[in-house]
């Protein structure tokens, strides 16, 4: 089981963005490879800290994590964070918040600084929208979508950037009243890639990339909600040279169901019955998310009665069971009557059996609404 992100960074859910950043900085310095050479456990903790920070430092990801936990991201390739990146990725993505903690304006382990290592540029993300039926939401589904993404053209050749010697960054030294200050900035010649084009085919762009259609399989877990975004790591645009591919961001759009209305993990169904059916009791077949179910209505059932079918709703994204199907009973009043029907109801006006006698156990409308949301 994955460890809680707040526990990893040693903070609470109420931590401010600055407190989250400060906690990550402290933990990452503690487990940094330069301080723990050859320590596999420290390296793993370093990656976990990066994964936790990637989610908790992003307000949208943090909100999803607070609501759904790890499974808010697991269904479509994970977080794309520390647990799924190598050390260069982490240094490149999070190194800027450490300043000169390890000297030279950056880490020595991955993206520049003193080591002479090449910085790896990440390609841009792609975004698509996937429409799901309520049945697909309830059961989970694997969707295959065609994506037009940039990939490195066959035959393209790169060479080490002469301006930065493959670092992806250039150092600038300025004199200040405090002394000589050294800063690292992205190389303007190669854009941080550390490589420039040596030769490329005619159909490639200035960065050696071409557009190509690719069919991507997306595993969508049961219980997703409208507007949720999932991420498929590495299925965005490629980056030039030895870069890292961007991600495919998948926005969920839930299609409206003909009969069922969703409210969180619960479903609502409006059942209309006639006066005779309400008086005599009846067995009815109704629509559920995974097929039809049969329910029995008692004699004398009242309009506004809510029947709760346990576990017939939407599964929890956190695998904590499923919601319920709430059946709202509505007694249909006929709008036109023939002569015989009208005479029957006129005689019934004074019949004591037709005069309302609500019992104490019959809840009011407001009590029913309160129960429905509790």
């Amino acid at each position: 089981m994955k460890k809680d992100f707040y526990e990893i960074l040693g903070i609470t859910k109420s931590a401010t963005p600055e407190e989250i950043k400060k906690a990550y900085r402290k933990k990452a310095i503690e487990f940094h490879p330069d301080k723990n050479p050859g320590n596999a456990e420290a390296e793993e903790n370093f990656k976990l800290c990066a994964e936790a920070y990637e989610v908790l430092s992003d307000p949208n990801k943090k909100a999803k994590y607070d609501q759904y936990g790890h499974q808010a991201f697991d269904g479509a390739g994970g977080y794309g964070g520390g647990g799924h990146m190598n050390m260069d990725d982490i240094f490149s993505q999070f190194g800027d918040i450490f300043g000169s903690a390890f000297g030279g304006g950056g880490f020595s382990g991955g993206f520049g600084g003193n080591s002479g290592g090449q910085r790896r540029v990440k390609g841009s993300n792609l975004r698509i929208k996937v429409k799901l039926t309520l049945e697909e939401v309830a059961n989970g589904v694997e969707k295959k979508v065609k994506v037009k993404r940039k990939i490195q053209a066959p035959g393209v050749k790169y060479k080490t950037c002469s301006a930065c010697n493959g670092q992806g960054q250039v150092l600038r030294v300025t004199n200040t009243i405090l002394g000589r200050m050294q800063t690292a900035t992205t190389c303007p010649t190669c854009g941080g890639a550390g490589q420039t084009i040596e030769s490329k085919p005619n159909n490639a762009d200035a960065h050696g990339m071409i557009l190509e259609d690719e069919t991507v399989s997306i595993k969508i877990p049961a219980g997703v909600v409208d507007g949720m975004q999932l991420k498929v790591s590495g299925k965005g645009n490629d980056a030039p040279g030895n870069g890292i591919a961007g991600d495919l961001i998948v926005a969920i759009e839930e299609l409206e169901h003909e009969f069922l209305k969703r409210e969180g993990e619960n479903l609502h169904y409006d059942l209309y019955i006639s006066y005779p059916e309400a008086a005599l009791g009846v067995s009815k077949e109704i629509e559920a998310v995974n097929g039809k179910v049969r329910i029995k209505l008692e004699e004398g059932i009242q309009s506004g009665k809510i029947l709760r079918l346990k576990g017939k709703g939407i599964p929890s994204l956190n695998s904590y069971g499923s919601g319920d199907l709430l059946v709202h009973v509505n007694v249909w009043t006929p709008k036109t009557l023939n002569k015989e029907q009208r005479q029957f109801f006129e005689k019934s006006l004074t019949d004591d059996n037709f005069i309302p006698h609500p019992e104490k156990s019959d809840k009011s409308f407001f009590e029913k609404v309160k129960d429905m949301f509790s």
Side-chain angles (χ1 to χ4, degrees):
M1 179 181 290
K2 275 183 172 286
K3 194 173 181 181
D4 181 75
F5 283 160
Y6 292 99
E7 185 180 344
I8 289 172
L9 297 184
I11 55 176
T12 64
K13 284 188 176 182
S14 60
T16 65
E18 187 58 37
E19 288 171 337
I20 294 172
K21 183 175 181 179
K22 184 178 179 181
Y24 170 55
R25 187 178 190 278
K26 179 180 177 181
K27 289 288 186 181
I29 290 175
E30 177 184 349
F31 296 120
H32 191 273
D34 282 1
K35 295 186 67 175
N36 303 272
N39 188 331
E41 183 179 354
E43 180 175 325
E44 182 62 28
N45 286 330
F46 184 72
K47 292 180 180 180
L48 289 174
C49 290
E51 185 175 12
Y53 180 70
E54 182 192 8
V55 172
L56 300 184
S57 63
D58 184 309
N60 291 330
K61 292 180 181 179
K62 183 177 184 297
K64 291 182 177 70
Y65 179 75
D66 288 345
Q67 185 174 5
Y68 299 108
H70 293 293
Q71 291 200 27
F73 306 91
D74 284 347
Y79 306 91
H84 303 280
M85 296 190 292
N86 60 32
M87 300 302 285
D88 281 351
D89 299 330
I90 299 173
F91 295 141
S92 175
Q93 190 165 351
F94 304 115
D96 61 327
I97 75 166
F98 288 86
S100 57
F102 292 89
F107 287 112
S108 64
F111 75 99
N114 299 328
S115 70
Q118 179 182 318
R119 181 178 182 180
R120 299 182 69 195
V121 176
K122 186 173 182 179
S124 58
N125 293 339
L126 294 175
R127 297 179 182 275
I128 62 169
K129 182 179 288 186
V130 172
K131 297 181 179 182
L132 301 179
T133 65
L134 192 59
E135 289 79 9
E136 290 173 329
V137 168
N139 297 299
V141 66
E142 183 173 352
K143 290 279 189 179
K144 294 185 183 298
V145 298
K146 185 173 287 187
V147 178
K148 190 178 290 291
R149 55 189 296 261
K150 288 184 178 181
I151 64 168
Q152 184 173 302
V156 66
K157 293 182 180 179
Y158 295 92
K159 62 182 179 180
T160 301
C161 176
S162 58
C164 65
N165 293 320
Q167 297 291 315
Q169 293 181 326
V170 291
L171 298 178
R172 300 185 186 279
V173 179
T174 56
N175 295 316
T176 71
I177 59 173
L178 300 176
R180 290 167 63 84
M181 300 291 290
Q182 179 177 282
T183 57
T185 59
T186 300
C187 176
T189 302
C190 65
Q195 295 178 323
T196 56
I197 296 285
E198 182 176 6
S199 63
K200 64 182 181 66
N202 293 331
N203 62 334
D205 64 17
H207 301 287
M209 313 297 287
I210 58 173
L211 279 174
E212 184 172 277
D213 288 332
E214 180 177 341
T215 300
V216 179
S217 180
I218 306 169
K219 291 184 178 180
I220 301 174
V224 294
V225 298
D226 187 75
M228 176 178 286
Q229 293 187 347
L230 307 178
K231 181 167 69 175
V232 185
S233 298
K235 290 302 180 181
N237 289 322
D238 281 351
N242 192 33
I244 307 163
D247 303 319
L248 177 63
I249 308 301
V250 182
I252 301 299
E253 180 181 347
E254 184 179 316
L255 299 175
E256 187 174 341
H257 193 276
E258 184 179 2
F259 304 108
L260 299 169
K261 300 295 181 184
R262 182 179 180 183
E263 180 197 31
E265 293 166 3
N266 292 332
L267 295 175
H268 296 268
Y269 180 88
D270 276 318
L271 174 63
Y272 289 89
I273 62 175
S274 66
Y275 270 141
E277 289 174 326
L280 300 174
V282 68
S283 178
K284 282 281 188 180
E285 189 175 70
I286 66 168
E287 192 83 21
V289 73
N290 285 318
K292 296 184 180 296
V293 295
R294 183 165 290 278
I295 60 173
K296 185 172 179 60
L297 305 180
E298 61 189 25
E299 294 182 9
I301 193 167
Q302 301 297 313
S303 187
K305 177 82 172 180
I306 300 175
L307 306 177
R308 185 182 294 267
L309 305 185
K310 291 282 189 181
K312 293 295 183 180
I314 301 295
S316 166
L317 196 61
N318 286 324
S319 301
Y320 296 143
S322 298
D324 303 325
L325 173 58
L326 303 173
V327 182
H328 301 259
V329 178
N330 302 281
V331 179
W332 180 261
T333 303
K335 296 182 178 181
T336 58
L337 299 172
N338 60 31
K339 182 178 179 180
E340 184 179 352
Q341 293 167 339
R342 179 172 293 278
Q343 289 174 345
F344 170 78
F345 282 112
E346 286 174 347
K347 291 178 181 179
S348 302
L349 285 174
T350 56
D351 191 318
D352 187 64
N353 199 41
F354 282 83
I355 297 174
H357 294 290
E359 301 177 357
K360 290 184 178 180
S361 60
D362 293 333
K363 295 182 179 181
S364 69
F365 170 79
F366 297 103
E367 290 174 321
K368 291 174 182 176
V369 172
K370 181 179 177 182
D371 288 347
M372 186 174 66
F373 286 97
S374 63

